[in-house]
């Protein structure tokens, strides 16, 4: 999900940013850096893990802004369950 402060989160799990990657296919599994939320950034990848050991890979294609300039969401691509 995405909260009102434009942070990504995994319901019942944790998320880690893997930085600027350029595509969903370039999002690789990480073993550290997990927290309960991560700032959504255009062109960046993320790995989410559930409390039952399943993973999701996420890529933020772009951030959506309103006509007044406020962020209203993000366009993402994802793979679940992730196959790294």
């Amino acid at each position: 999900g995405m909260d009102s402060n434009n942070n990504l989160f995994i319901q019942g799990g944790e998320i880690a940013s893997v930085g600027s990657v350029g595509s969903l296919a370039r999002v690789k599994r990480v073993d550290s850096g997990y927290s309960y939320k991560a700032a959504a950034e255009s062109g960046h990848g993320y790995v989410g893990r559930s409390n039952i050991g399943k993973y999701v890979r996420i890529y933020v294609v772009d951030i959506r802004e309103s006509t007044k300039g406020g962020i209203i969401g993000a366009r993402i691509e994802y793979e679940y369950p992730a196959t790294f």
Side-chain angles (χ1 to χ4, degrees):
M2 189 170 178
D3 68 18
S4 61
N5 292 317
N6 308 312
N7 293 306
L8 298 172
F9 65 91
I10 302 298
Q11 187 82 25
E14 299 175 301
I15 190 166
S17 174
V18 297
S20 180
V21 291
S23 73
L24 181 64
R26 293 184 176 171
V27 176
K28 305 297 181 195
R29 183 174 164 177
V30 294
D31 294 319
S32 63
Y34 287 89
S35 66
Y36 293 107
K37 58 186 173 181
E41 296 183 67
S42 183
H44 285 228
Y46 303 84
V47 175
R49 65 179 177 194
S50 72
N51 55 11
I52 59 170
K54 295 201 177 209
Y55 288 84
V56 59
R57 71 168 99 195
I58 302 165
Y59 175 68
V60 177
V61 177
D62 57 32
I63 302 294
R64 300 295 173 121
E65 295 185 15
S66 74
T67 56
K68 296 179 181 178
I71 295 174
I72 58 172
R75 185 166 54 115
I76 66 165
E77 296 174 348
Y78 70 95
E79 177 189 35
Y80 178 82
T83 55
F84 296 102

